[in-house]
Amino acid sequence: MLHKPSRIPSLCHICRRWPSQPLCAPCVERFAQPTLRCPTCALTLSPATHGTPCKNCAEHPSPLDACVAAVSYTFPWSDCIARFKFQADPSLARALAHLMRHAPWVEPALDKAHLVVPVPLSLARLRERGYNQALELARHLASDKTDTRTLLRSGRSAHQVGASRAARLDHVRDAFWIDPERLANVRHQRIVVVDDVMTTGASMYEAARTLRAAGATHITGLVLARTESRDTQD
């Protein structure tokens, strides 16, 4: 588990300004401007779409009722996430969650949610990494609603970095399950599912399907960063 970040002055992880917060205000203003995104998969859209679902979601409806991303998975956020995710930098957990909380539509989603559920890691991956980055974000977003005991993950733990969409889908098929003793916590509830990065959406969608099958009435996917499709979204 990550420790709480220090209160002493630090460097901005992006511009190296000192003294500073881990993410300084000028960098956030420069690199985290809100952008129009698909309401159900969070891919960036052109202004001409007027916020309607992207072509893929129109043809293949998302299992999410809503999906929100704070930023795109590009510079400088990809570097920040790598530091947070693979170098266990504790100073970034609170700063990145703060960035997420101030993205459009996030506050209402968290306020209305009954549960905030981080996408769980397998036990093998958790032992390897030492902590679940999605859980650290969720705790800073809504500690009183964060639930780690309801949505569970099977023992499969194949690495997904660089995997194709088909491989990612295969990796997460039937990867999640609900603790039978906690089904009542899901039934008829509004749930926010939190993760750090959404690439193909395979993990987020499989988690949503599992929660939906258990009776959740509304599911919002909330991610720090969304990768962009190679194809232009119309």
Side-chain angles (χ1 to χ4, degrees):
M1 181 185 299
L2 293 179
H3 298 293
K4 290 183 179 179
S6 170
R7 297 288 185 180
I8 64 174
S10 62
L11 287 171
C12 171
H13 286 276
I14 297 173
C15 70
R16 314 307 291 172
R17 182 193 305 268
W18 188 93
S20 170
Q21 296 297 316
L23 300 175
C24 74
C27 282
V28 171
E29 183 176 355
R30 178 182 179 187
F31 294 111
Q33 287 294 317
T35 185
L36 185 65
R37 295 181 180 277
C38 173
T40 51
C41 80
L43 279 175
T44 298
L45 299 174
S46 68
T49 61
H50 303 293
T52 57
C54 67
K55 181 179 179 181
N56 185 66
C57 285
E59 295 177 353
H60 309 283
S62 167
L64 297 166
D65 296 289
C67 189
V68 183
V71 295
S72 293
Y73 189 66
T74 55
F75 175 85
W77 305 115
S78 54
D79 293 344
C80 290
I81 291 168
R83 177 182 288 272
F84 169 53
K85 189 170 183 176
F86 300 114
Q87 299 180 34
D89 189 324
S91 68
L92 277 170
R94 185 185 300 273
L96 293 173
H98 183 80
L99 185 71
M100 294 171 72
R101 177 173 279 281
H102 287 83
W105 313 114
V106 173
E107 286 277 10
L110 293 172
D111 288 344
K112 293 177 182 178
H114 298 100
L115 296 177
V116 174
V117 177
V119 173
L121 295 177
S122 67
L123 289 177
R125 184 72 68 243
L126 187 60
R127 284 193 294 267
E128 175 186 307
R129 187 169 297 159
Y131 71 103
N132 181 352
Q133 70 281 353
L135 172 56
E136 296 304 323
L137 294 172
R139 282 174 169 159
H140 286 295
L141 288 165
S143 59
D144 58 326
K145 296 181 179 182
T146 297
D147 182 299
T148 62
R149 297 183 293 165
T150 299
L151 181 67
L152 305 174
R153 191 162 191 152
S154 67
R156 293 188 300 169
S157 57
H159 283 284
Q160 298 206 76
V161 176
S164 67
R165 176 177 175 81
R168 285 173 179 266
L169 291 170
D170 184 64
H171 290 167
V172 300
R173 188 171 291 114
D174 300 322
F176 302 105
W177 54 286
I178 304 294
D179 182 343
E181 295 184 359
R182 299 183 66 80
L183 283 171
N185 290 10
V186 176
R187 194 172 297 118
H188 308 308
Q189 301 298 290
R190 297 179 68 95
I191 297 176
V192 171
V193 181
V194 174
D195 209 353
D196 60 333
V197 179
M198 184 170 171
T199 304
T200 63
S203 295
M204 179 67 73
Y205 290 169
E206 189 68 15
R209 292 186 188 99
T210 302
L211 291 163
R212 185 82 67 191
T217 56
H218 190 282
I219 303 170
T220 296
L222 172 56
V223 297
L224 169 59
R226 181 65 160 102
T227 61
E228 298 299 340
S229 172
R230 293 189 179 93
D231 300 322
T232 300
Q233 296 296 318
D234 299 322

